[in-house]
Amino acid sequence: MNESYKKYIQSQEVVPPPEVWTAIESELDKKSKKRFPVGYFAVLSAILLSGGILFGVFYNWEAQPSTDVQPQSTNTSPTSIQNSKASSYDASQNPSTEQHSQNAYRMDEATLGNHQDLIQRKKKVSSANLQRFPNQSTQRDESIEYRNSNKASQQKNPSQNSALKDWVEISTSDKPKPSSAQEFDTTEEKPDYPIEEKPQNSLADADDSATPIDEMPASINKTQVEESLIAEKSLEVEESTLEKEEDLAENEIKIVKKKNNKEKKWEFSTYIAPSYTRSITDKHIWLIDLKEYKGSYENSTNYGMRMSYTISSKWTVRAGLGINNLRQKARDVYITSQTLDEANITQIDTYENIEIINSQDFYYPNINPNNVDLANVSQQIQYFSVPIDFSYQLYDSSLLSLGLNLGTSTHWLRKNSIALDYDNRKFDYGKATNLNELVFGTQLGFQTRFKINSRFSFMLEPEFLYYFNTFKDDSKVRPYTINLSAGLLYKFNF
Amino acid sequence: MQDATRIRVKACQKKDRQAQGEIYTQFSPKMYAVCLRYCKNEDDAKDCLQEAFIIAFDKVGQFKFKGSFEGWLRRITINVCLEKLRKRTFFVVADERIKQEEEEPMDWEEETEGIEFKDLQKLIERMPTAYQTVFNLYLLEDYTHKEIAEKLGISEGTSKSNLSRGKAWLRKEIKNNTTIEFQYRK
């Protein structure tokens, strides 16, 4: 090329119209005031807010019913005291669990087993004691009867019974109260008088006749009453202690069970899903411009991950991130080619909703210039999806659980491509212009889990996903996909 | 680089609007001519010019004063035009035999003798876009075939054959027009 011609060309000047600078200034102003992406932040905030509220509500929901765990017995001492008592007991029973029982929230399943054993042992001890000390048992029954009759007597004649009570208290006040060891060790203190006959009848008589204390029947001597009351008190203490300890153990079991349930609230799963795409109203879902051509749907694959949180024994909420692919092909579409002999650049903007974004050099050795040939036009759409589901558990066993999922999903358009399949080659062609960048959908699914072990499950979920606003225009096309997700689920320890 | 241009560019790097206006006034006529050369109509040329200056003002911080600012700006403008061209056109080569054609050497001085630059430019403007783009890039802007192939999304072979075809087309047109129009000037 002649250098002088090059200089001539490069020095050429054409003054542009003034509106160009106005437009540039306007664009520069816009750039300097970078617009806050309100739309995206609104959607993101809504998701985070709803997630936060759900988490907060259900977390509190889980935390509040802790009152159910409080002892229901007459013991109203604080939990810490109860725990310390339990701790001392556990330490005597099984020292290895002492540390665990100091803090119920640190107990594990082993501790739970210990406490269940504890209750069983307590019951055995109690029944064994009763078998070993039948007299004590008899005494206990007698004492209860005596106490009941005494109460009846008090109701009839409060002053007399008050006097009797005072007398008994005075007579027993100078004796030391039995220790816990003594309470259990009553065999050596077995009374040597016929408790079965005399005291009961005498006391009953005393109640009925309302005899003054000075005139108490001789059959009831001081020692008899004293021993009876000691035995009664001893049994009451033992009974009370057993009840308290049983309550404590049961409460701790409840706490541990609750904690164990609470521990496994979070689950993580990954999935891959063959996807089957169709439209409710129109056979050709994406390539509306080509709807006169024969269309077919292509199988695609979706994949992603999910986190789920167990709200209650039946309900679970879960959110995820996924990639959804949708593919369709229009077959035997007419294409034209033009030869370089005529030096044409073919502008294929025949279709209203397809923007050509790629230029491509095609070599068609077998096609005649200016001829018409057939090719397939395939379209792929890929969404970045954020689904939020609520799951209801229908059935649960050690091997299998079944449930229903229902939720909504947000989809961001990530890939939008149209390609020509011609002569066993694929050429990127352009993109569809009638698709919304942000699409909302709803999904309904059936959840099947096969439990591999306490942590891992295999997951199989058929799901129906319906897209609300795929297209910008008033298209009647309403696409949906049916996914069959298969994946692995991991249950966290929290 | 002239001191005035250097000062303006430095001010542009600080987003000085007045300096940006001065740079635009200084270089927009040349850049608009470039746009008109690559685009087929004025609307596209205006769009390209606008986009080129917006990109230039946005990226001016990356300009390190190692070459001429005009050259840097011209590259940006051409790239914008080519991008526009890529979006609008679909290159179709119908016969592979075209790739195998030998490029005939062209004696530029001899063949354009007696033709004014203005007329030559008009002829080139009439050249089919596929040829013209490669012709301009290769002969006027000193792009290599590899660069052209990358910019246009075509193969190097296509770039070479388009240049060859373009030259053949121009030779043919000069010959025809010389006998009809340019002969009068001689």
Side-chain angles (χ1 to χ4, degrees), chain A residues 354-368:
Chain A
I354 300 174
E355 180 189 343
I356 297 161
I357 55 173
N358 290 316
S359 57
Q360 190 82 41
D361 50 336
F362 283 174
Y363 296 103
Y364 295 159
N366 301 321
I367 190 171
N368 293 322

Side-chain angles (χ1 to χ4, degrees), chain A residues 429-449:
Chain A
Y429 180 78
K431 66 176 184 179
T433 57
N434 62 338
L435 297 175
N436 279 320
E437 292 284 328
L438 189 63
V439 176
F440 298 98
T442 184
Q443 64 271 4
L444 175 67
F446 185 76
Q447 188 182 87
T448 312
R449 290 182 185 179

Side-chain angles (χ1 to χ4, degrees), chain B residues 65-166:
Chain B
F65 300 96
K66 288 182 179 173
S68 77
F69 182 75
E70 185 183 330
W72 182 77
L73 188 58
R74 181 185 290 272
R75 279 266 169 175
I76 289 175
T77 308
I78 290 170
N79 285 344
V80 169
C81 292
L82 295 181
E83 192 64 28
K84 186 100 177 169
L85 207 62
R86 274 182 59 140
K87 286 180 180 176
R88 293 290 299 274
T89 57
F90 192 70
F91 290 82
V92 177
V93 177
D95 196 332
E96 197 157 9
R97 286 173 300 176
I98 293 163
K99 289 173 70 180
Q100 297 163 358
E101 285 186 5
E102 291 294 326
E103 184 179 343
E104 293 178 23
M106 183 177 181
D107 187 346
W108 183 262
E109 296 288 344
E110 187 182 332
E111 294 192 34
T112 60
E113 189 184 354
I115 302 175
E116 290 190 15
F117 287 160
K118 193 170 63 178
D119 296 327
L120 185 59
Q121 188 184 354
K122 280 181 185 174
L123 273 182
I124 293 171
E125 283 172 2
R126 282 171 47 201
M127 191 185 286
T129 311
Y131 301 168
Q132 190 191 10
T133 306
V134 177
F135 191 91
N136 284 337
L137 289 172
Y138 188 81
L139 296 175
L140 298 180
E141 310 295 347
D142 296 329
Y143 278 60
T144 63
H145 281 300
K146 190 180 178 184
E147 286 174 318
I148 294 168
E150 285 172 2
K151 295 288 178 191
L152 295 176
I154 60 177
S155 68
E156 281 188 60
T158 307
S159 176
K160 286 175 185 173
S161 62
N162 280 4
L163 179 65
S164 172
R165 290 273 169 175

Side-chain angles (χ1 to χ4, degrees), chain A residues 72-193:
Chain A
Q72 294 172 356
S73 66
T74 52
N75 188 350
T76 55
S77 58
T79 310
S80 59
I81 296 172
Q82 293 172 23
N83 288 340
S84 67
K85 286 181 179 180
S87 171
S88 62
Y89 184 84
D90 287 346
S92 64
Q93 295 292 323
N94 184 1
S96 66
T97 59
E98 182 178 2
Q99 191 179 354
H100 291 206
S101 56
Q102 283 176 356
N103 186 347
Y105 290 99
R106 290 185 184 174
M107 284 194 297
D108 55 9
E109 289 178 357
T111 317
L112 174 64
N114 286 340
H115 282 284
Q116 283 172 335
D117 291 344
L118 167 67
I119 288 176
Q120 294 300 322
R121 281 203 300 272
K122 285 282 181 186
K123 285 177 181 172
K124 283 178 186 172
V125 167
S126 182
S127 60
N129 277 343
L130 290 174
Q131 285 173 2
R132 282 173 61 196
F133 313 122
N135 289 337
Q136 191 178 7
S137 172
T138 312
Q139 280 180 358
R140 181 183 172 182
D141 295 339
E142 287 164 357
S143 301
I144 290 165
E145 281 183 33
Y146 169 74
R147 186 173 53 194
N148 291 338
S149 63
N150 221 2
K151 280 178 186 172
S153 172
Q154 274 186 336
Q155 286 171 357
K156 285 181 181 176
N157 193 346
S159 61
Q160 182 202 355
N161 288 293
S162 173
L164 178 63
K165 189 180 177 186
D166 291 342
W167 172 76
V168 169
E169 282 180 359
I170 290 162
S171 63
T172 56
S173 60
D174 53 353
K175 287 201 169 190
K177 290 186 178 180
S179 65
S180 59
Q182 286 172 323
E183 286 172 16
F184 286 94
D185 191 13
T186 55
T187 49
E188 292 179 5
E189 293 182 5
K190 185 180 177 184
D192 53 357
Y193 47 81

Side-chain angles (χ1 to χ4, degrees), chain A residues 277-278 283-287 290 293-299 326-332 376-379 421:
Chain A
T277 305
R278 289 289 183 276
K283 189 179 174 185
H284 298 270
I285 60 165
W286 316 120
L287 302 170
L290 305 176
Y293 292 98
K294 184 182 174 184
S296 66
Y297 294 87
E298 302 290 307
N299 291 331
L326 308 160
R327 288 198 180 102
Q328 188 196 335
K329 189 176 275 186
R331 296 188 181 279
D332 299 333
N376 295 329
V377 179
S378 60
Q379 182 172 23
D421 294 327

